[in-house]
Structure formats: C-alpha cells, structure tokens
Amino acid sequence: MDSAVTSLGEVTESVIFEKLLPRELSFRVVPDDAQDTDVILGRPFTDAPDVAYHRVGNELIFEQMDESMFVAINEKGIKPVCLRKTKLEPDEVKFISTRFDNTDRELPVRNECEKTIQISEGQKICKRVCGIDEVLKMEMRVEPIVESEINVGDKVTSEQKCELVEILNDYRDCIANNLLELGKTNVTKMDVDIVEGAKPVSGKPFKLNMKDRADLNEIIDQYREAGIVTETQSEFASPAFVVRKSDGSARMVVDYRRLNKITKTINYPIPDFDSLLERLSGAKLFITLDLAQGYLQIPLTESAKEKTAFITEDQTGQFERAMFGLANAPKVFAKLMNKVLGPAQKKGMVFHFFDDICIYAKNWRELMRNLIEVLKALRDAGLTLNLKKCFFGMDIITYLGYVLGNGVIKPGERKIKAIEEYPVPTNVHEIRRFLGLAGFFSEIHTKVC
C-alpha cells in the first residue's frame, strides 16, 4: 500500500484553464516527488456548476457552462430537439446538434440504455436518452473576411481594399458562408392561406436516378442540420426533386403546383426595371450585392409549415422557411425588400430587384457611406449576403442581364445572343414575340440616350 503524503500547506491562485472563465482555486502543496504531474484537479473542480467537459480519446475537453440554460430548462420544461440523425452506443457520450428555446446548442448526451439507440432529426431528447449535461453551443468560429475573398473593380486601390475589408468585418454577421450562418429575417413571416373548403393535397414521390436521389438526400440533410427542414406529420405532401445548375451542382425543387392552385393569392407590385434606369444619372461606381438564398431567410408562420411538407422516395419533411416554388413567395419577398431597403432607395443610393441589390455613387467615399447604410439595414432585418456573388467598386457592372456604367445601359451578351439566334418567325404569334423583344431593347436605348 502507498504511504500517505503529507501536505506542505495550501495556496489559492487565480487560474485560466482552456476555455473556462478565470477562477480562484485552492491547491494542496505536496513534495515534488509525491506525484508525476504538476497539478491534479479533483471533484471540487469538475463538479462546479459552470464547468462542462467531455472525453475525446484519453483527453478531457472542458467548456464554460451557461447557467441560464438550466434556468430555462427547469422553469420552461422545454426539451432540446435533435437537428441531425445520430446513433449512440450504450454508455457512449456525444455532442449532438440541437435546437433549444430558439437557439442552436451543442449538447453532450450520454446513452444510459443497454442497447444502441438512434436519435432522429426533430426528435426531442427526453426519456430514452438520459444524462444530458446541457451546455451553450460553442461559438462558431467565424473567420474574418480577407482581401482574397472579395471581388473588386480593377481601379480599386490597396488602401480602398483595406477600408472595404474593415467595413465588411464590422458587418461580418451580414455575410453567410454556409447554411448555418444563413440569416432569418425578423421583419415578416410568410403564410400559406388556402381557400375555404380545400382539402390537403398530396402526391407520390418522383422516381429519380441514383445520383439525383443521393444529391437530394444530401441537400435535405444539410437543411435539417441548419433547422430549415424538420420532421412532419402533415397530410400535405408535395413531391421533391433536383434540377442542375449551370455548374452541374444540384438544387432542391418541390412541385407545389397543386398546393398553389388552392392557395389564396396576395397582391404586391413587383419591382419595375424601367424605374431602375432613372436612378443611374451621374453614377460612376457600383456595388452589387446578392442575398444568400433569399427565400430561405423568410420564416414561415406555424400554420404554413405543414402545408410546405414534401415527400421523396426516402423521407418526408416540412420547411421552416419560405421555399422557392410557393405561389406568393416572390411577392412576400418583394414586400420584405421594399421595407428593408425602401428608405435607402428613396435617398437615391440603392435599388433592388428581388435579391439583387445595386448600390451606386459618384465617388468612393460616397459609395462606402451608402454601403454602410445598406449593411445596417440588412443587419437590422436579420438578412445575410452571399459574398462570392458580391462585387465592389465596379465602374461597369452586369445587372439583371444588362451592362451598366459610364452613363450607358446596354443588353448583356446573353440577351444579344438571344436576338441573334432568335428563330425565323413562322406565324403571327412568333412575329409579335420578336417585335416585343426588339421593341424592349429599342425603348432602353431611347431612355438612356
């Protein structure tokens, strides 16, 4: 048996340990040869109410506990909801992505059952899974914006680039580099109001090839992880599929045609391209901003969510946000953008067409002031941008298929190509279509000149 160790005394020191807040700890001092390590932390430390830890291999990872979450759980009785399908072996501990009280959190969860269990997306973590040590979700490491990530005009100087980067980092929360950073507006919610007496619509899932089927499941998994899609028990079920973008990547589409037929239509004016042209007088510099997945930044009302339910060959789900293909989505989005950017647009510094935003000015200083005002408006509304599709300090831009700059507006290459390759009309209807297209370009030319 090991002999007892006599303590040489006790000392209290302020300690900073990993990600924990500084704290005062009392230590027993022992002779140097009494133990192999410099410090041994015991139960008084690990049992502290604000200390959370989990094991990774042979290491313990410590995190600061958010005590407010215990209060919320105890007083509200709200159960965390799993955001991603997870398997737990008996007595295994894992960090699980959950949503609790409208906040995303990472919870270390231990399976105290004697068999392997599966936690599904949308499932509440309660009776079947025990031993939950709730901790506030670790802050996502949001990387700062660097010069190499921004698209700037050829005439933008190094000093101007540095100024632009500083502004963008001041509004880093307005930029979404992934779905987890995607904004959710606090300005409005979208409803799906169906006509009186209409019955829920449902359809069979579309049969997809193996690649499309796999890509669709991957997209849905990403949506679930971000809280955009949740489990459903809805009577509605619209079939989902994928379409291919120009780069070959997949985009999820839901066939809401039957739902749209029973949806009450709302009215709101769509932005007019002609009025946009009148704002270009004297503009020398431009910024174009693109909202990240615009519709998905609009939350749905509770009654609308079940109506957005979709079905695939492998699963079902429903949306928490507005989805492309819903009948009233464009008008709800147009109304939202008018509320958010309307004041700045009246000042003559920005115009927008749905999620395409164009800021304009006579010089760099004015351009940066206008950019800051627009970013403030987006921040206040809870909206985020797709930085990869934003362009700054441009003297000539391509906007909505047209080339703008130097007091000139002209059709872009794709629109010119559409006219050049327009098939020879063979009937009155086709002649009228061609004359309308040609007349539109003639009207633009007349307004600019």
Side-chain angles (χ1 to χ4, degrees), residues 42 69 100 118 126 169 202 223 250 289 299 307 336 398 427:
M69 185 170 184
F100 169 80
Q118 191 92 14
C126 47
N169 279 313
S202 62
Y223 282 171
L289 303 177
K307 300 183 183 85
L336 165 67
T398 299
N427 54 52

PDB file of all heavy atoms in Angstrom, residues 42 69 100 118 126 169 202 223 250 289 299 307 336 398 427:
ATOM      1  N   GLY A  42      -9.397  17.794  -8.938  1.00  0.00           N
ATOM      2  CA  GLY A  42     -10.303  16.801  -8.383  1.00  0.00           C
ATOM      3  C   GLY A  42     -11.764  17.143  -8.556  1.00  0.00           C
ATOM      4  O   GLY A  42     -12.139  18.030  -9.333  1.00  0.00           O
ATOM      5  N   MET A  69     -29.143  28.345 -19.123  1.00  0.00           N
ATOM      6  CA  MET A  69     -29.864  27.267 -19.800  1.00  0.00           C
ATOM      7  C   MET A  69     -30.540  26.354 -18.782  1.00  0.00           C
ATOM      8  O   MET A  69     -31.634  25.855 -19.016  1.00  0.00           O
ATOM      9  CB  MET A  69     -28.912  26.477 -20.682  1.00  0.00           C
ATOM     10  CG  MET A  69     -29.643  25.424 -21.496  1.00  0.00           C
ATOM     11  SD  MET A  69     -28.612  24.667 -22.730  1.00  0.00           S
ATOM     12  CE  MET A  69     -29.814  23.605 -23.523  1.00  0.00           C
ATOM     13  N   PHE A 100     -32.797  24.575 -28.976  1.00  0.00           N
ATOM     14  CA  PHE A 100     -33.446  24.718 -27.678  1.00  0.00           C
ATOM     15  C   PHE A 100     -33.807  26.179 -27.472  1.00  0.00           C
ATOM     16  O   PHE A 100     -32.949  27.061 -27.561  1.00  0.00           O
ATOM     17  CB  PHE A 100     -32.516  24.244 -26.555  1.00  0.00           C
ATOM     18  CG  PHE A 100     -33.006  24.603 -25.176  1.00  0.00           C
ATOM     19  CD1 PHE A 100     -33.979  23.841 -24.571  1.00  0.00           C
ATOM     20  CD2 PHE A 100     -32.506  25.706 -24.513  1.00  0.00           C
ATOM     21  CE1 PHE A 100     -34.451  24.175 -23.316  1.00  0.00           C
ATOM     22  CE2 PHE A 100     -32.961  26.050 -23.257  1.00  0.00           C
ATOM     23  CZ  PHE A 100     -33.932  25.282 -22.661  1.00  0.00           C
ATOM     24  N   GLN A 118     -31.023   5.201 -31.749  1.00  0.00           N
ATOM     25  CA  GLN A 118     -30.948   6.152 -32.859  1.00  0.00           C
ATOM     26  C   GLN A 118     -31.820   7.358 -32.513  1.00  0.00           C
ATOM     27  O   GLN A 118     -33.009   7.218 -32.221  1.00  0.00           O
ATOM     28  CB  GLN A 118     -31.458   5.497 -34.145  1.00  0.00           C
ATOM     29  CG  GLN A 118     -31.171   6.294 -35.402  1.00  0.00           C
ATOM     30  CD  GLN A 118     -29.858   5.871 -36.036  1.00  0.00           C
ATOM     31  OE1 GLN A 118     -29.311   4.848 -35.696  1.00  0.00           O
ATOM     32  NE2 GLN A 118     -29.363   6.667 -36.956  1.00  0.00           N
ATOM     33  N   CYS A 126     -35.356  13.225 -24.515  1.00  0.00           N
ATOM     34  CA  CYS A 126     -36.030  13.183 -23.217  1.00  0.00           C
ATOM     35  C   CYS A 126     -35.870  11.817 -22.573  1.00  0.00           C
ATOM     36  O   CYS A 126     -34.778  11.468 -22.158  1.00  0.00           O
ATOM     37  CB  CYS A 126     -37.492  13.573 -23.371  1.00  0.00           C
ATOM     38  SG  CYS A 126     -38.331  12.741 -24.731  1.00  0.00           S
ATOM     39  N   ASN A 169     -15.898  43.340 -42.258  1.00  0.00           N
ATOM     40  CA  ASN A 169     -15.701  42.634 -40.993  1.00  0.00           C
ATOM     41  C   ASN A 169     -16.496  43.272 -39.864  1.00  0.00           C
ATOM     42  O   ASN A 169     -16.897  42.590 -38.919  1.00  0.00           O
ATOM     43  CB  ASN A 169     -14.211  42.576 -40.646  1.00  0.00           C
ATOM     44  CG  ASN A 169     -13.496  41.462 -41.401  1.00  0.00           C
ATOM     45  OD1 ASN A 169     -13.971  40.335 -41.454  1.00  0.00           O
ATOM     46  ND2 ASN A 169     -12.367  41.785 -42.014  1.00  0.00           N
ATOM     47  N   SER A 202     -51.693  15.973 -51.770  1.00  0.00           N
ATOM     48  CA  SER A 202     -50.535  15.094 -51.607  1.00  0.00           C
ATOM     49  C   SER A 202     -50.301  14.334 -52.911  1.00  0.00           C
ATOM     50  O   SER A 202     -51.220  14.159 -53.709  1.00  0.00           O
ATOM     51  CB  SER A 202     -50.749  14.116 -50.451  1.00  0.00           C
ATOM     52  OG  SER A 202     -51.871  13.278 -50.718  1.00  0.00           O
ATOM     53  N   TYR A 223     -30.211  20.903 -44.934  1.00  0.00           N
ATOM     54  CA  TYR A 223     -31.317  21.744 -44.479  1.00  0.00           C
ATOM     55  C   TYR A 223     -31.738  21.379 -43.057  1.00  0.00           C
ATOM     56  O   TYR A 223     -32.066  22.248 -42.238  1.00  0.00           O
ATOM     57  CB  TYR A 223     -32.510  21.608 -45.427  1.00  0.00           C
ATOM     58  CG  TYR A 223     -32.382  22.378 -46.726  1.00  0.00           C
ATOM     59  CD1 TYR A 223     -33.302  22.200 -47.755  1.00  0.00           C
ATOM     60  CD2 TYR A 223     -31.359  23.296 -46.928  1.00  0.00           C
ATOM     61  CE1 TYR A 223     -33.204  22.922 -48.954  1.00  0.00           C
ATOM     62  CE2 TYR A 223     -31.248  24.014 -48.110  1.00  0.00           C
ATOM     63  CZ  TYR A 223     -32.180  23.814 -49.113  1.00  0.00           C
ATOM     64  OH  TYR A 223     -32.081  24.523 -50.276  1.00  0.00           O
ATOM     65  N   ALA A 250     -26.504  20.457 -57.757  1.00  0.00           N
ATOM     66  CA  ALA A 250     -27.938  20.188 -57.632  1.00  0.00           C
ATOM     67  C   ALA A 250     -28.632  21.247 -56.784  1.00  0.00           C
ATOM     68  O   ALA A 250     -28.060  21.787 -55.840  1.00  0.00           O
ATOM     69  CB  ALA A 250     -28.161  18.804 -57.025  1.00  0.00           C
ATOM     70  N   LEU A 289     -24.833  43.451 -54.635  1.00  0.00           N
ATOM     71  CA  LEU A 289     -24.923  42.519 -53.515  1.00  0.00           C
ATOM     72  C   LEU A 289     -25.959  41.455 -53.828  1.00  0.00           C
ATOM     73  O   LEU A 289     -26.979  41.740 -54.452  1.00  0.00           O
ATOM     74  CB  LEU A 289     -25.325  43.253 -52.229  1.00  0.00           C
ATOM     75  CG  LEU A 289     -24.430  44.415 -51.788  1.00  0.00           C
ATOM     76  CD1 LEU A 289     -25.016  45.074 -50.537  1.00  0.00           C
ATOM     77  CD2 LEU A 289     -23.009  43.952 -51.531  1.00  0.00           C
ATOM     78  N   PRO A 299     -38.948  33.361 -42.466  1.00  0.00           N
ATOM     79  CA  PRO A 299     -39.602  32.297 -41.690  1.00  0.00           C
ATOM     80  C   PRO A 299     -41.071  32.151 -42.075  1.00  0.00           C
ATOM     81  O   PRO A 299     -41.698  33.098 -42.561  1.00  0.00           O
ATOM     82  CB  PRO A 299     -39.456  32.792 -40.238  1.00  0.00           C
ATOM     83  CG  PRO A 299     -39.355  34.277 -40.354  1.00  0.00           C
ATOM     84  CD  PRO A 299     -38.640  34.546 -41.651  1.00  0.00           C
ATOM     85  N   LYS A 307     -48.084  22.930 -44.559  1.00  0.00           N
ATOM     86  CA  LYS A 307     -48.511  22.944 -45.958  1.00  0.00           C
ATOM     87  C   LYS A 307     -47.326  22.821 -46.914  1.00  0.00           C
ATOM     88  O   LYS A 307     -47.498  22.476 -48.075  1.00  0.00           O
ATOM     89  CB  LYS A 307     -49.305  24.214 -46.257  1.00  0.00           C
ATOM     90  CG  LYS A 307     -50.562  24.364 -45.397  1.00  0.00           C
ATOM     91  CD  LYS A 307     -51.346  25.601 -45.775  1.00  0.00           C
ATOM     92  CE  LYS A 307     -52.562  25.804 -44.880  1.00  0.00           C
ATOM     93  NZ  LYS A 307     -52.247  26.511 -43.644  1.00  0.00           N
ATOM     94  N   LEU A 336     -40.857  42.449 -48.459  1.00  0.00           N
ATOM     95  CA  LEU A 336     -39.803  42.464 -47.450  1.00  0.00           C
ATOM     96  C   LEU A 336     -38.672  43.405 -47.858  1.00  0.00           C
ATOM     97  O   LEU A 336     -38.237  44.265 -47.074  1.00  0.00           O
ATOM     98  CB  LEU A 336     -39.255  41.045 -47.245  1.00  0.00           C
ATOM     99  CG  LEU A 336     -37.921  40.934 -46.498  1.00  0.00           C
ATOM    100  CD1 LEU A 336     -38.079  41.366 -45.052  1.00  0.00           C
ATOM    101  CD2 LEU A 336     -37.368  39.510 -46.593  1.00  0.00           C
ATOM    102  N   THR A 398     -22.590  44.083 -64.655  1.00  0.00           N
ATOM    103  CA  THR A 398     -23.663  43.350 -65.311  1.00  0.00           C
ATOM    104  C   THR A 398     -24.744  43.127 -64.272  1.00  0.00           C
ATOM    105  O   THR A 398     -24.513  42.506 -63.232  1.00  0.00           O
ATOM    106  CB  THR A 398     -23.167  42.005 -65.858  1.00  0.00           C
ATOM    107  OG1 THR A 398     -22.139  42.232 -66.816  1.00  0.00           O
ATOM    108  CG2 THR A 398     -24.311  41.241 -66.516  1.00  0.00           C
ATOM    109  N   ASN A 427     -45.204  32.470 -87.840  1.00  0.00           N
ATOM    110  CA  ASN A 427     -46.624  32.807 -87.700  1.00  0.00           C
ATOM    111  C   ASN A 427     -46.742  34.167 -87.000  1.00  0.00           C
ATOM    112  O   ASN A 427     -45.738  34.750 -86.551  1.00  0.00           O
ATOM    113  CB  ASN A 427     -47.395  31.718 -86.951  1.00  0.00           C
ATOM    114  CG  ASN A 427     -46.765  31.405 -85.600  1.00  0.00           C
ATOM    115  OD1 ASN A 427     -46.513  32.310 -84.803  1.00  0.00           O
ATOM    116  ND2 ASN A 427     -46.518  30.114 -85.345  1.00  0.00           N
TER     117      ASN A 427
END
